[in-house]
Amino acid sequence: MKLLSALAASVFALAIWQGIVSLTGLPKFILPGPALVAETWWQNRWVIAEHTWVTAVEVVIGFACGTVLGVVTALQLANSRVARVLIQPMLVFTQALPVFALAPLLTLWLGYGLWSKVAMAVLIIYFPITSSFFDGLMRTPSGYLDLARTMQASPRAVLWHIRVPAALPSLASGMRLAAVYAPIGAVIGEWVGSSQGLGYLMLLANGRAKTDLMFAAMLTLGVFSILLHLIVRRATARIAGETR
Amino acid sequence: MILAPDLTISGSAAIGDATLFAPLILTLSAGQWTCLLGGSGVGKTTILRLIAGLETGAEFTGQITASDGQSVRERVAYMAQDDLLLPWASVAQNVTLGARLRGEKPDLDRRDRLIEGMRLLDHMDKKPGELSGGQRQRVALARTLMENRPIVLLDEPFSALDARTRADMQDLAAEALQGRTVLLVTHDPGEAARLGQSIVVMAQTGITPCQPPHAPAPRKVDDLETLETQGALLRLLREEAA
């Protein structure tokens, strides 16, 4: 049923796309139709696969590092008032900066290779992970804390036995959001400076007016992001479900 | 059996400039059930939370002392209207929560005995979400007993249950908590009349001790004197509120 509705939605989207192409009669270097994009995708499948692999590695490493960093930061923030005073404003401030503007800097610092893209993905998901987990940690139902208090629990024990498990569903929703953001971060990094990856391929295809290839790369990225989201969703179902 | 002390609370509480309750002296007799009965907002829960050493939002002036001179808040077990079971932990894990929080090794034999006593043996490994409201409160009671404290503070623990389950829980709790100094905060005159070995009605103006029925607690639900006491308590509550 779920699969069927996803299929129906895809067919519907393709129909609209094809409809616009047929009705407007736009040249294919402006807006290629779905059939042409599919053909181009098939012809270039090995090139696309190669670049997808590069982006995938960046995204997965970035996702893992960003999640670990976010979890550690949230725990520190929840644990210490000093950390909240010192770190929290900085966290919010970094979110006010356009990440795009930082991309050239990261390339300057970390080079053209893998790590500048990983750093970009980390930067983009760090905040949603940190803030969702931190929110969860600070919103422990007060009744649990009262009970723990009458049981003479140490703050550390309360954190591990009550606050962290109670906050896991929040962390799960942060991770699901991050799964969609991380590929965007990696691609921004690739746009600014790289010689491989889907972002690079898109830029290259666009520059050569190969709009069909650009579309093929973009759709591949979209499908990859959705897959990642589904995998993370499945992986976090347990911590989100068991704790509710 | 652990030796339960008398408890005395004397003092007054205010929230900002507004008086929550005027100076009062409340004594909980050792090893007895004291029912603190009152309407909403008279500060009865505040008294219970003060004894437990929990945040109240009110400023308390006075003192809380035990007859044996030892600290009070380290010897209380607490049970609230919300069962406060951790949804991610099994029944067995919830019952031993206190030991886990203190980093102690829980007494598993005792845990099993208590779970059996609460007729929960078949549910040991279930999550609280799979249990009924009455079963959940029985788990909470087992967790409270597991703490094995001489002073037990009950904050309307049965008020969310249906009438039959509530009566069952009252019987079960009365039996299980025998010999401990129990404070039961409630707004239900019937509950106070069934369970109180000493009954105190609380209002903004102060507290009024009332005569409990003569039969030993828990009293039968259709015991005449108990029903009369219930009526008298309700009348008193209404007069106090007027």
Side-chain angles (χ1 to χ4, degrees):
Chain A
M1 192 59 221
K2 232 175 175 176
L3 202 70
L4 212 68
S5 62
L7 203 69
S10 313
V11 170
F12 180 66
L14 288 177
I16 290 189
W17 179 7
Q18 184 61 54
I20 295 174
V21 172
S22 306
L23 281 176
T24 55
L26 286 169
K28 65 179 184 179
F29 65 87
I30 302 275
L31 182 64
L36 177 63
V37 170
E39 198 190 322
T40 308
W41 188 89
W42 183 250
Q43 279 166 3
N44 295 283
R45 61 191 183 278
W46 296 114
V47 179
I48 291 177
E50 212 183 297
H51 289 287
T52 304
W53 171 252
V54 172
T55 304
V57 169
E58 297 161 0
V59 168
V60 169
I61 299 179
F63 183 80
C65 294
T67 302
V68 170
L69 269 178
V71 165
V72 171
T73 310
L75 285 172
Q76 291 305 322
L77 287 175
N79 234 350
S80 126
R81 193 179 293 271
V82 180
R84 282 203 286 283
V85 169
L86 293 182
I87 300 177
Q88 218 174 5
M90 200 158 70
L91 256 179
V92 177
F93 183 70
T94 57
Q95 280 311 292
L97 300 174
V99 206
F100 297 81
L102 292 175
L105 268 180
L106 290 175
T107 313
L108 181 69
W109 292 338
L110 301 170
Y112 262 55
L114 172 74
W115 294 106
S116 56
K117 285 76 188 174
V118 168
M120 202 64 211
V122 168
L123 268 187
I124 252 185
I125 69 163
Y126 177 61
F127 187 76
I129 298 258
T130 306
S131 76
S132 61
F133 191 36
F134 174 65
D135 267 3
L137 287 170
M138 297 312 275
R139 260 190 235 148
T140 316
S142 62
Y144 294 161
L145 301 178
D146 288 345
L147 184 68
R149 184 133 196 213
T150 63
M151 292 172 162
Q152 278 86 48
S154 67
R156 203 187 159 78
V158 174
L159 185 67
W160 287 117
H161 288 290
I162 296 180
R163 292 174 70 193
V164 167
L168 286 183
S170 308
L171 175 61
S173 62
M175 286 173 71
R176 289 167 184 186
L177 209 60
V180 183
Y181 286 168
I184 298 177
V187 165
I188 294 173
E190 289 170 357
W191 275 344
V192 172
S194 68
S195 52
Q196 41 188 352
L198 282 175
Y200 164 78
L201 186 63
M202 276 187 242
L203 215 58
L204 186 80
N206 207 18
R208 297 185 182 173
K210 285 187 177 169
T211 315
D212 47 347
L213 182 60
M214 149 90 187
F215 265 72
M218 192 167 71
L219 291 177
T220 308
L221 180 71
V223 170
F224 170 75
S225 296
I226 290 175
L227 278 181
L228 185 67
H229 175 72
L230 289 177
I231 292 170
V232 170
R233 197 180 187 87
R234 177 66 64 86
T236 54
R238 173 166 290 197
I239 60 170
E242 271 190 0
T243 48
R244 260 179 222 288
Chain B
M1 195 69 225
I2 24 176
L3 282 177
D6 277 335
L7 274 192
T8 307
I9 301 97
S10 61
S12 60
I15 300 176
D17 290 334
T19 305
L20 179 61
F21 56 80
L24 55 76
I25 297 177
L26 173 67
T27 301
L28 313 180
S29 308
Q32 302 249 311
W33 279 64
T34 303
C35 291
L36 185 58
L37 182 67
S40 301
V42 296
K44 55 190 196 303
T45 291
T46 303
I47 289 192
L48 180 139
R49 293 180 66 90
L50 285 168
I51 299 172
L54 298 173
E55 287 289 319
T56 59
E59 181 119 15
F60 175 68
T61 326
Q63 53 185 357
I64 297 167
T65 49
S67 53
D68 54 11
Q70 292 179 46
S71 146
V72 173
R73 60 176 63 168
E74 273 142 43
R75 289 188 292 164
V76 303
Y78 166 71
M79 190 172 162
Q81 179 181 345
D82 186 331
D83 51 63
L84 299 177
L85 299 180
L86 304 177
W88 57 84
S90 69
V91 165
Q93 288 170 328
N94 267 294
V95 171
T96 54
L97 178 68
R100 288 193 291 132
L101 283 176
R102 288 184 296 272
E104 297 164 359
K105 214 167 132 59
D107 179 345
L108 297 182
D109 289 338
R110 182 177 162 77
R111 175 198 71 185
D112 293 349
R113 272 202 313 279
L114 287 171
I115 289 178
E116 193 180 357
M118 292 295 139
R119 305 191 307 278
L120 290 165
L121 220 44
D122 296 340
H123 307 293
M124 282 263 277
D125 300 316
K126 287 190 186 165
K127 299 278 158 65
E130 302 169 64
L131 305 178
S132 70
Q135 288 168 336
R136 292 168 63 103
Q137 271 311 10
R138 296 214 298 276
V139 180
L141 183 56
R143 181 189 58 203
T144 310
L145 291 167
M146 189 72 194
E147 290 296 283
N148 201 16
R149 302 284 175 83
I151 304 161
V152 178
L153 305 172
L154 307 175
D155 193 0
E156 303 188 19
F158 315 127
S159 58
L161 302 172
D162 66 85
R164 187 186 64 88
T165 314
R166 190 185 315 146
D168 289 349
M169 278 304 293
Q170 288 166 349
D171 289 339
L172 203 57
E175 192 196 317
L177 294 175
Q178 239 171 32
R180 296 169 207 267
T181 305
V182 178
L183 173 64
L184 172 67
V185 162
T186 181
H187 55 235
D188 176 4
E191 186 161 276
R194 279 203 77 201
L195 297 175
Q197 288 164 309
S198 136
I199 300 174
V200 177
V201 173
M202 183 167 182
Q204 234 104 33
T205 45
I207 55 174
T208 319
C210 299
Q211 179 65 41
H214 288 91
R219 295 156 194 122
K220 290 209 181 79
V221 287
D222 52 0
D223 174 64
L224 268 185
E225 198 193 356
T226 303
L227 289 172
E228 274 171 23
T229 307
Q230 174 178 351
L233 289 172
L234 182 55
R235 196 174 56 235
L236 190 61
L237 272 181
R238 298 181 72 186
E239 283 166 7
E240 299 270 10

